[in-house]
Amino acid sequence: MTLGRAWKGPASAACALALLGAVPSGAAAATTSSEPHPAAARTFEGGAAGWTATVRQDGNGLTCSGLLHIPGVTCPVVSNSWQAGGGDGFLRTNVATTVGLLSTTTVDWTSPSFTVAAAPDLASLGYELRGSSGTLLDLGTATVGADLVDLGTRTTAPLARAAPPPLSSVFVGAGGSVSPALLQAGHSYAIRIRLTLPTPVGLAVSGAVELDDVALQLTDLAPPTDLSATVAADTVGVRVHGAVDSHGQPTTVTVDYGPTTAYGATTSAVVNGSGPQPWSLALAGLRPSTEYHYRVSARSADGALQSGDGSFTSPAAPAQDGAPMLIGSFTSQQRIAVFDLDASVTSAVVEVLDRDDGTVLSSFPDSDLDGSVTISMPTRPGVYRVRVRRTRSGGATASPTVEAVWDVDVVPPSVAGTLVIVSPYSSSERARTVTVLGRPLDAVSAQVRTLDADGRAVGATGALGSDGSAAVTLPETVGSYRVEIAFADAAGNSASVRSLPLQLTAPVTQPPDDGGGGGGGGTRTPDDSARGGGAGGGGGTDGMERANAVMPYPLAVATVRCAITPGSSVRPAAHAGICPGRRVIGRIAPLRRTVGGVRVTLRAQVPATIGGANTLAFAVGQRGGRLRAVRWTLNGRPLRGPTLRAAQLRSDGGRQTLTARLVPRAGRAVTVRVIFRTNAA
């Protein structure tokens, strides 16, 4: 096809290229589906819609099985049900205990199965959580994870992890983008939402986690459509520009051109987005007054679109002294000026002028003579003129000017769909990991900072990584904190979003395990191992034995009240968030015994200060078997568990004896004693 018009000089001219075989507008649009089906399986309108719940409880052979297993007392009672409300309904997991003993409850909500017809180009998962009616979620130890289960291969892939839902009357959204590679055409899948709910020591627990609006959204993007192209010549040169609908995926636009239909030269650019996306490609190496053929194509992962042949005649002479072309947004103070240079130009400067009187406001030299310079508009928004001044052996010449409009961008980035997740939610560790879902599209920077309970910034400010994650370190003071992300756009507008409150708990220190005796004057029983020292004596174990000691579970400690000085009704004031309490004199060494053929280790976790949220806790680790029961006494008085509060310990440095009677499943029981001293902290 011939344009029917040839350019005789640098004057502007243009003509559109008809596209042969182009996909009509609106054809082959992107398709989006949501799983599981039907819609009631996502909204829970009218029932659970095929979702099932399974419960697994781990009490280390004691609290959720065996001698100490008392449902609702030592081991939580779990109920899973569908609840009506909120216009449709939701799923609920309720957990309750009367006495808090160490255990972990895991509840898996599994969706009905669904089959993926075609591998998606985009995928995302969304669901909503709510915590209600109790103290369970105040502990900050619950975790929620979403997984994709391939029912054919029986493999599981993680989709999203969420912070514990706050106690609230409203649901809080969670989820994020999903790698499309996880879903294969023809495979059947199910979505699994896993709730992990630890029960701490010495604290009655009750509460519910509620789940709603679970949807895996799959999008199959279309091949490029609506490709248009126009050839234009102006003071900058010859270029082909137009638009293409790339349907949300990277699309390469290519212009092939040359003196015949064999073309021979090519230039390309990549565009992305939804709706018509503009593109512009300059044609280099053209001879004056020559007819050229060209064609345009657009290609993405889902297909290609190509035009028929078109032709144009190049200008009679190159535009060596034309005005610059400006690249960049009207709301950006910085622009890129592109202009033509020939071999005779020895220097070039781009000038920004006042629109009304032509005064030169600023100059930007092209130091490397590559025909492009980054310029900056004056600090006051408005309309300006830009030109390029070229210098040759005969002197300097000024090009025609082009207008540069600078509009003020006063709209801050939208953080309505942004979620800040900090992990772990509650811990004695100061290091935390920050994950941001739904970053604002127009944000060019994101600063991370930590806030205390009063909203004051504490610690250093960092930057959010390109993957949406960052690492923060909380201050040393025990308490509540938040993480704030401040987003800024190119115009300097800012908006911030904060995480839910997170907790830094008091650290629990662990004494070195050297196998030696501790305290004074321990008593050995006939069943004591030959290599293990008595509670107060020496002995020790070899390095291999220490390395193989296995602790069956981490200790959780519950918050206790401040200690009261004996004989006084006045509660001492807290200092730096820690109530005055007790301190162990010296150290408490670990003890090892063989009980009924089972190798047992008794170990103490000793915080620097015992009081407030800190307790002196003992744990029994087993290897090769399970004990039937452990019975505790302190100074001859029975204990409910191995966790001691400040009020139970002496403040005068006197001797105290903790006794643990270890009862095996077979064989004779063994009594071990730990003797230690404590004074006022």
Side-chain angles (χ1 to χ4, degrees):
M1 183 188 72
T2 303
L3 292 179
R5 178 175 178 178
W7 292 297
K8 302 302 181 182
S12 176
C15 185
L17 171 65
L19 300 177
L20 304 182
V23 178
S25 174
T31 58
T32 299
S33 61
S34 295
E35 300 292 351
H37 272 91
R42 303 188 297 273
T43 63
F44 309 115
E45 181 176 2
W51 283 74
T52 58
T54 58
V55 179
R56 183 175 70 255
Q57 292 182 300
D58 176 20
N60 302 286
L62 295 174
T63 59
C64 286
S65 63
L67 183 65
L68 299 182
H69 180 208
I70 305 175
V73 179
T74 63
C75 191
V77 170
V78 181
S79 61
N80 298 296
S81 61
W82 172 83
Q83 300 289 320
D88 41 40
F90 54 88
L91 303 180
R92 168 182 284 176
T93 292
N94 192 81
V95 180
T97 63
T98 303
V99 177
L101 294 180
L102 288 170
S103 66
T104 299
T105 298
T106 302
V107 178
D108 288 340
W109 281 103
T110 303
S111 76
S113 64
F114 56 91
T115 301
V116 176
D121 295 301
L122 299 172
S124 63
L125 175 73
Y127 57 99
E128 294 185 344
L129 297 169
R130 180 172 66 180
S132 64
S133 67
T135 61
L136 172 68
L137 301 176
D138 285 335
L139 300 175
T141 55
T143 59
V144 183
D147 301 299
L148 182 70
V149 180
D150 189 318
L151 301 179
T153 62
R154 309 308 300 177
T155 56
T156 301
L159 296 181
R161 296 294 181 264
L167 294 175
S168 172
S169 61
V170 298
F171 281 91
V172 177
S177 61
V178 173
S179 171
L182 296 177
L183 298 118
Q184 301 182 39
H187 284 222
S188 295
Y189 299 92
I191 300 170
R192 184 185 70 194
I193 307 295
R194 170 165 289 180
L195 313 176
T196 304
L197 310 169
T199 303
V201 174
L203 187 66
V205 170
S206 65
V209 178
E210 297 168 348
L211 175 67
D212 197 5
D213 294 336
V214 184
L216 179 64
Q217 191 173 69
L218 308 178
T219 301
D220 184 15
L221 298 176
T225 60
D226 301 333
L227 177 63
S228 64
T230 300
V231 180
D234 54 23
T235 55
V236 176
V238 178
R239 67 185 186 277
V240 182
H241 60 87
V244 64
D245 191 341
S246 58
H247 295 290
Q249 56 185 330
T251 299
T252 301
V253 177
T254 302
V255 176
D256 299 306
Y257 63 99
T260 68
T261 53
Y263 307 112
T266 185
T267 182
S268 62
V270 177
V271 299
N272 197 355
S274 298
Q277 302 298 310
W279 54 271
S280 180
L281 292 168
L283 306 185
L286 302 181
R287 296 190 297 271
S289 303
T290 301
E291 184 180 34
Y292 284 89
H293 293 261
Y294 75 104
R295 69 182 177 194
V296 182
S297 61
R299 180 179 297 275
S300 71
D302 275 313
L305 177 65
Q306 188 177 80
S307 74
D309 178 69
S311 63
F312 65 91
T313 301
S314 61
Q320 298 177 346
D321 294 311
M325 179 174 64
L326 300 182
I327 302 174
S329 169
F330 288 168
T331 60
S332 174
Q333 188 178 6
Q334 288 192 330
R335 312 288 174 84
I336 299 177
V338 180
F339 47 91
D340 181 71
L341 293 177
D342 59 39
S344 64
V345 176
T346 58
S347 67
V349 177
V350 177
E351 298 175 334
V352 179
L353 295 79
D354 184 277
R355 182 189 186 188
D356 298 326
D357 59 16
T359 303
V360 176
L361 303 176
S362 54
S363 300
F364 305 90
D366 182 8
S367 56
D368 53 5
L369 287 179
D370 65 348
S372 66
V373 177
T374 299
I375 66 174
S376 182
M377 297 292 104
T379 56
R380 183 177 181 180
V383 181
Y384 299 90
R385 295 185 181 275
V386 178
R387 70 184 181 191
V388 58
R389 184 177 293 276
R390 302 173 177 86
T391 301
R392 299 182 176 87
S393 58
T397 58
S399 75
T401 61
V402 293
E403 284 195 345
V405 179
W406 182 25
D407 289 336
V408 179
D409 180 8
V410 296
V411 180
S414 174
V415 295
T418 305
L419 179 65
V420 180
I421 300 173
V422 182
S423 179
Y425 169 77
S426 177
S427 173
S428 61
E429 297 295 331
R430 296 170 58 201
R432 307 292 171 95
T433 299
V434 180
T435 303
V436 175
L437 302 177
R439 175 173 177 150
L441 296 178
D442 59 341
V444 297
S445 67
Q447 298 297 313
V448 183
R449 65 176 185 171
T450 304
L451 308 178
D452 63 14
D454 296 323
R456 295 186 297 261
V458 291
T461 300
L464 187 68
S466 58
D467 60 349
S469 66
V472 298
T473 301
L474 301 183
E476 296 180 353
T477 304
V478 172
S480 177
Y481 297 91
R482 287 177 183 259
V483 172
E484 181 182 71
I485 312 295
F487 297 99
D489 59 18
N493 302 304
S494 62
S496 61
V497 60
R498 296 179 180 180
S499 70
L500 296 173
L502 52 135
Q503 303 296 323
L504 178 65
T505 60
V508 178
T509 59
Q510 176 64 47
D513 182 4
D514 61 2
T523 302
R524 292 174 60 91
T525 69
D527 292 296
D528 287 343
S529 169
R531 288 187 295 173
T541 59
D542 56 36
M544 181 62 71
E545 186 174 18
R546 290 196 300 270
N548 289 335
V550 177
M551 299 300 292
Y553 45 75
L555 276 178
V557 292
T559 301
V560 299
R561 303 171 66 187
C562 296
I564 300 177
T565 303
S568 172
S569 61
V570 179
R571 187 174 305 282
H575 176 67
I578 303 240
C579 296
R582 307 288 184 262
R583 179 174 289 111
V584 173
I585 301 173
R587 60 183 295 271
I588 302 176
L591 300 177
R592 293 180 177 84
R593 299 291 183 269
T594 299
V595 184
V598 177
R599 190 64 170 163
V600 176
T601 301
L602 178 63
R603 192 185 305 271
Q605 289 186 334
V606 186
T609 301
I610 303 166
N614 292 343
T615 59
L616 172 59
F618 293 81
V620 175
Q622 309 168 44
R623 187 176 63 194
R626 292 185 176 180
L627 295 175
R628 187 160 58 90
V630 181
R631 300 185 179 94
W632 305 88
T633 60
L634 178 66
N635 299 327
R637 300 181 61 182
L639 297 174
R640 291 178 57 184
T643 302
L644 306 179
R645 297 172 294 177
Q648 297 172 279
L649 301 174
R650 300 184 63 161
S651 62
D652 58 358
R655 192 174 92 164
Q656 301 179 106
T657 302
L658 177 79
T659 302
R661 183 167 177 77
L662 311 175
V663 183
R665 293 188 179 276
R668 194 168 48 169
V670 173
T671 300
V672 295
R673 297 177 180 85
V674 179
I675 299 174
F676 59 98
R677 300 173 186 273
T678 55
N679 59 13

